[in-house]
Amino acid sequence: SKLLARRKDGDCVGFVIHNVQGGGIVASRTESAHGMADGVVDHTRRLSFSPDGAFLAFAARSEASDSGMNKIFVYDAPMFQKLRAIGCDVLVDFAFSPDCRCIVTLCRNGSVVLHDVRSGDEVRRFDGPKVGDFGTIAFALHGALLAVCGRDKDEVTIWQLADGTCLQTLKVPLS
């Protein structure tokens, strides 16, 4: 078993993976300010292994992003080698698809972009509601649907991934 922890070390952000059973560090990686367009000014806020454990991604922020993240670093998890960086204007959240072939990003301006994990290429773009600085995104377990919710909105938008159709916008009672 492994435990994932984020870290900030000077002008670097990254992750440390600990062996829960035997103790000790399994792997540690950082991205320096030189890996970001404007220099890293904050620690990682979001880390995630893909459902199959093949990939590890973490989000980092540069000075240009104000309060959000703007780059996701994707690693080959077994080898702990960086595969690529996926950019976003101001990233709010990201998630791996259940089949681990895609990663989806949610940006403050409401854009939801599906990327191929291996190439980083954009597969599909969805135009959602502006979510502000806080929002969340989730795949249905079968991988055919995608749901997005913003903190400042009282609604959840559900899309069909196959063709990008917005299936429904659900109003969420706040009280």
Side-chain angles (χ1 to χ4, degrees):
S1 295
K2 297 174 184 172
L3 171 67
L4 182 63
R6 62 186 181 197
R7 75 184 234 182
K8 181 175 182 185
D9 184 15
D11 287 336
C12 298
V13 293
F15 62 88
V16 177
I17 298 180
H18 298 272
N19 183 330
V20 175
Q21 294 173 345
I25 294 175
V26 176
S28 174
R29 297 291 184 269
T30 59
E31 290 296 330
S32 72
H34 304 292
M36 301 291 287
D38 300 304
V40 174
V41 296
D42 200 3
H43 57 278
T44 57
R45 289 193 202 165
R46 177 86 168 87
L47 300 149
S48 182
F49 277 107
S50 60
D52 65 357
F55 302 101
L56 170 66
F58 72 92
R61 178 177 92 160
S62 79
E63 293 172 356
S65 68
D66 294 330
S67 63
M69 303 303 206
N70 70 351
K71 216 170 247 195
I72 300 170
F73 294 98
V74 180
Y75 281 77
D76 173 296
M79 302 301 294
F80 300 109
Q81 294 178 337
K82 186 170 86 170
L83 299 175
R84 77 198 27 76
I86 297 173
C88 181
D89 179 33
V90 179
L91 181 71
V92 176
D93 196 14
F94 69 90
F96 283 100
S97 62
D99 65 5
C100 307
R101 294 190 326 210
C102 294
I103 190 167
V104 67
T105 58
L106 170 63
C107 297
R108 184 190 301 170
N109 66 4
S111 66
V112 177
V113 182
L114 192 65
H115 302 269
D116 180 274
V117 171
R118 295 206 178 272
S119 69
D121 293 339
E122 183 176 314
V123 174
R124 174 165 280 120
R125 181 176 290 267
F126 306 87
D127 291 319
K130 291 190 185 327
V131 296
D133 292 333
F134 299 95
T136 191
I137 193 161
F139 283 93
L141 189 57
H142 51 68
L145 303 177
L146 183 66
V148 176
C149 180
R151 186 188 87 175
D152 299 333
K153 293 285 189 180
D154 59 347
E155 60 190 34
V156 175
T157 305
I158 301 173
W159 284 285
Q160 183 171 295
L161 261 86
D163 60 6
T165 303
C166 178
L167 296 178
Q168 193 165 13
T169 299
L170 307 169
K171 294 290 181 187
V172 178
L174 297 177
S175 57

Short mmCIF file of all heavy atoms in Angstrom, two decimals, residues 10 17 30 69 74 84-85 89 93 97 101 131 149 151 159 172:
data_model
loop_
_atom_site.label_atom_id
_atom_site.label_comp_id
_atom_site.label_asym_id
_atom_site.label_seq_id
_atom_site.Cartn_x
_atom_site.Cartn_y
_atom_site.Cartn_z
N GLY A 10 10.57 25.23 -1.20
CA GLY A 10 11.10 26.42 -1.86
C GLY A 10 10.25 26.78 -3.06
O GLY A 10 9.06 26.98 -2.95
N ILE A 17 5.50 9.77 -2.11
CA ILE A 17 4.72 8.55 -1.91
C ILE A 17 5.41 7.72 -0.85
O ILE A 17 6.59 7.40 -0.97
CB ILE A 17 4.56 7.76 -3.22
CG1 ILE A 17 3.80 8.64 -4.23
CG2 ILE A 17 3.83 6.45 -2.98
CD1 ILE A 17 3.58 8.01 -5.56
N THR A 30 9.30 16.53 -7.90
CA THR A 30 8.93 17.94 -7.80
C THR A 30 8.99 18.58 -9.18
O THR A 30 9.67 18.08 -10.08
CB THR A 30 9.87 18.72 -6.86
OG1 THR A 30 11.20 18.61 -7.36
CG2 THR A 30 9.79 18.22 -5.45
N MET A 69 -5.49 26.92 -10.07
CA MET A 69 -4.36 26.17 -10.61
C MET A 69 -4.38 26.34 -12.13
O MET A 69 -5.41 26.62 -12.71
CB MET A 69 -4.48 24.69 -10.27
CG MET A 69 -4.59 24.42 -8.80
SD MET A 69 -3.17 25.11 -7.97
CE MET A 69 -3.08 24.08 -6.57
N VAL A 74 1.11 15.13 -15.35
CA VAL A 74 0.69 13.73 -15.41
C VAL A 74 1.94 12.86 -15.43
O VAL A 74 2.85 13.07 -16.23
CB VAL A 74 -0.17 13.45 -16.66
CG1 VAL A 74 -0.60 11.98 -16.69
CG2 VAL A 74 -1.39 14.37 -16.69
N ARG A 84 3.65 14.43 -19.19
CA ARG A 84 3.28 15.70 -19.81
C ARG A 84 2.67 16.65 -18.81
O ARG A 84 2.37 16.24 -17.69
CB ARG A 84 2.29 15.49 -20.94
CG ARG A 84 0.86 15.22 -20.52
CD ARG A 84 0.01 14.61 -21.57
NE ARG A 84 0.72 13.82 -22.54
CZ ARG A 84 1.21 12.60 -22.33
NH1 ARG A 84 1.02 12.03 -21.17
NH2 ARG A 84 1.87 11.94 -23.24
N ALA A 85 2.46 17.87 -19.27
CA ALA A 85 1.72 18.87 -18.51
C ALA A 85 0.52 19.29 -19.37
O ALA A 85 0.65 19.47 -20.57
CB ALA A 85 2.58 20.07 -18.20
N ASP A 89 -6.65 27.59 -18.28
CA ASP A 89 -6.62 29.01 -17.90
C ASP A 89 -6.56 29.16 -16.39
O ASP A 89 -5.56 29.59 -15.84
CB ASP A 89 -7.83 29.73 -18.47
CG ASP A 89 -7.85 31.20 -18.08
OD1 ASP A 89 -6.76 31.79 -17.96
OD2 ASP A 89 -8.94 31.73 -17.90
N ASP A 93 -10.82 21.98 -11.00
CA ASP A 93 -10.82 20.57 -10.62
C ASP A 93 -10.45 19.73 -11.83
O ASP A 93 -10.49 20.20 -12.97
CB ASP A 93 -12.21 20.17 -10.10
CG ASP A 93 -12.21 18.85 -9.34
OD1 ASP A 93 -11.13 18.36 -8.97
OD2 ASP A 93 -13.31 18.31 -9.10
N SER A 97 -11.05 9.54 -16.13
CA SER A 97 -12.20 8.73 -16.54
C SER A 97 -12.05 7.34 -15.94
O SER A 97 -10.93 6.88 -15.66
CB SER A 97 -12.29 8.65 -18.06
OG SER A 97 -11.14 8.02 -18.60
N ARG A 101 -8.43 6.38 -19.79
CA ARG A 101 -7.93 6.88 -21.07
C ARG A 101 -7.97 8.39 -21.17
O ARG A 101 -7.26 8.97 -21.98
CB ARG A 101 -8.72 6.26 -22.23
CG ARG A 101 -8.51 4.77 -22.33
CD ARG A 101 -9.07 4.16 -23.58
NE ARG A 101 -10.29 4.79 -24.02
CZ ARG A 101 -11.25 4.18 -24.67
NH1 ARG A 101 -11.14 2.90 -24.97
NH2 ARG A 101 -12.32 4.82 -25.05
N VAL A 131 -18.10 28.56 -12.94
CA VAL A 131 -18.15 27.91 -11.62
C VAL A 131 -17.46 28.71 -10.53
O VAL A 131 -17.51 28.34 -9.37
CB VAL A 131 -17.54 26.49 -11.67
CG1 VAL A 131 -18.37 25.60 -12.58
CG2 VAL A 131 -16.09 26.52 -12.10
N CYS A 149 -20.52 20.59 -11.11
CA CYS A 149 -21.23 21.45 -10.17
C CYS A 149 -20.28 22.54 -9.70
O CYS A 149 -19.12 22.27 -9.41
CB CYS A 149 -21.72 20.63 -8.98
SG CYS A 149 -22.61 21.60 -7.76
N ARG A 151 -19.64 25.82 -6.93
CA ARG A 151 -20.05 26.25 -5.60
C ARG A 151 -21.03 27.42 -5.66
O ARG A 151 -21.95 27.51 -4.85
CB ARG A 151 -18.83 26.65 -4.77
CG ARG A 151 -19.21 26.97 -3.33
CD ARG A 151 -18.07 27.55 -2.58
NE ARG A 151 -18.07 28.99 -2.82
CZ ARG A 151 -17.27 29.84 -2.25
NH1 ARG A 151 -16.35 29.42 -1.44
NH2 ARG A 151 -17.35 31.11 -2.51
N TRP A 159 -23.56 15.69 -18.77
CA TRP A 159 -23.31 15.52 -20.19
C TRP A 159 -23.12 14.05 -20.53
O TRP A 159 -22.64 13.27 -19.72
CB TRP A 159 -22.02 16.22 -20.62
CG TRP A 159 -22.12 17.68 -20.76
CD1 TRP A 159 -22.72 18.38 -21.77
CD2 TRP A 159 -21.57 18.65 -19.89
NE1 TRP A 159 -22.58 19.71 -21.56
CE2 TRP A 159 -21.87 19.91 -20.41
CE3 TRP A 159 -20.85 18.58 -18.70
CZ2 TRP A 159 -21.48 21.08 -19.80
CZ3 TRP A 159 -20.46 19.75 -18.10
CH2 TRP A 159 -20.77 20.98 -18.64
N VAL A 172 -30.40 22.30 -7.61
CA VAL A 172 -30.13 21.73 -6.29
C VAL A 172 -30.65 22.69 -5.23
O VAL A 172 -30.23 23.85 -5.19
CB VAL A 172 -28.60 21.52 -6.08
CG1 VAL A 172 -28.31 20.97 -4.71
CG2 VAL A 172 -28.05 20.62 -7.18
#
